[in-house]
Amino acid sequence: MAVSPNEVQAYKGTLTSDADSLVKLAACYKLVLLYHSQPFAALSNLSVTLNDPRVIKFLSQYSWSAEPSAQLTLQLLGYMAGSSLVVRKAILATEGLLGGMLGMVRGAKHDPSLLTGVIQLLAMLGPRDDARRFGEALGEDPSLITILAGFLSQPAHRHLRKPILELLLSLAFSPSGQQALWGKQQKVKDALEAIMSDADHPLSKGEAQLATAFARDVAALYLVGG
């Protein structure tokens, strides 16, 4: 069933208004249901209609908060980013959003469902398309490399192997990222060895390509450092 443009505009109007946060979150919930009900071809127009700095700001502020609603707003941001390049660029252009999302990795490490949403959204924002920027952001906080490498090798987070590898690969494209990676080499090498030697849960073809490329980057850093 096609979505009425007026319906989407009404939800957008709620999200850009001075309405109470609970009212805005109710609009988010209804928008998530709309995304669920639409064919993929219709999602881009839906996302472009919602593309407004005020909408993105509201969603991002909630997404990296400790509020229970963070999963809902993350899901809506993910739908918007996943269906429109224009929206992905707008999200990345939002001041403080990338740093806030990366900071959420620390906060979400004990909440598997929230962590999944954060890492998948980060990967959706295009670390391979804007690798230098992601590498610089990760390089500003080397502890994130330790956390991501730890998640990479944990059985409970196998479903996050691909997005984590995509994020870690961006480190090689930034001087500060390379420096941060140099300081965490052993942790990263251990994680790579663990997933590449996991015979019970072998890497998919795409995961193996990413892991091999990242292992090459780490080895190159070792040679340069040596």
Side-chain angles (χ1 to χ4, degrees):
M1 184 175 177
V3 179
S4 161
N6 291 338
E7 185 180 6
V8 180
Q9 286 290 355
Y11 292 137
K12 178 181 177 180
T14 299
L15 293 176
T16 56
S17 72
D18 295 326
D20 182 82
S21 294
L22 289 176
V23 175
K24 292 185 176 183
L25 290 171
C28 289
Y29 177 72
K30 290 175 181 176
L31 281 166
V32 166
L33 294 180
L34 276 182
Y35 272 97
H36 275 301
S37 69
Q38 297 306 298
F40 183 77
L43 299 186
S44 178
N45 287 339
L46 179 53
S47 297
V48 170
T49 301
L50 292 172
N51 185 24
D52 183 294
R54 293 167 295 176
V55 173
I56 293 171
K57 184 178 180 181
F58 172 77
L59 294 177
S60 62
Q61 284 175 336
Y62 258 84
S63 293
W64 68 62
S65 72
E67 299 288 335
S69 54
Q71 291 183 27
L72 173 66
T73 49
L74 264 177
Q75 190 175 13
L76 184 52
L77 270 177
Y79 277 131
M80 291 170 65
S83 56
S84 169
L85 176 60
V86 171
V87 175
R88 283 198 293 278
K89 289 183 176 180
I91 290 174
L92 278 175
T94 303
E95 185 177 356
L97 191 145
L98 181 56
M101 287 293 164
L102 287 169
M104 270 193 75
V105 173
R106 281 191 303 274
K109 60 185 177 182
H110 301 303
D111 185 336
S113 58
L114 186 57
L115 176 70
T116 296
V118 175
I119 290 180
Q120 288 178 339
L121 176 58
L122 280 166
M124 207 178 291
L125 291 176
R128 287 193 286 178
D129 299 328
D130 200 354
R132 184 181 179 90
R133 182 171 181 180
F134 274 80
E136 287 173 352
L138 272 171
E140 289 177 2
D141 185 355
S143 71
L144 287 171
I145 301 174
T146 302
I147 292 170
L148 289 171
F151 290 152
L152 186 62
S153 58
Q154 289 175 10
H157 297 131
R158 287 193 194 99
H159 61 297
L160 295 176
R161 282 173 172 174
K162 186 173 183 288
I164 288 175
L165 285 166
E166 288 176 346
L167 287 168
L168 290 173
L169 265 169
S170 69
L171 288 162
F173 293 86
S174 155
S176 61
Q178 290 176 14
Q179 186 175 359
L181 182 56
W182 168 253
K184 302 291 183 181
Q185 272 188 88
Q186 193 57 52
K187 181 76 175 176
V188 168
K189 286 166 73 175
D190 290 345
L192 282 171
E193 183 178 339
I195 64 170
M196 294 175 85
S197 62
D198 186 351
D200 293 329
H201 303 92
L203 298 174
S204 68
K205 183 178 179 181
E207 290 169 347
Q209 289 174 339
L210 289 169
T212 301
F214 188 46
R216 219 168 22 234
D217 290 341
V218 174
L221 274 180
Y222 179 78
L223 291 173
V224 171

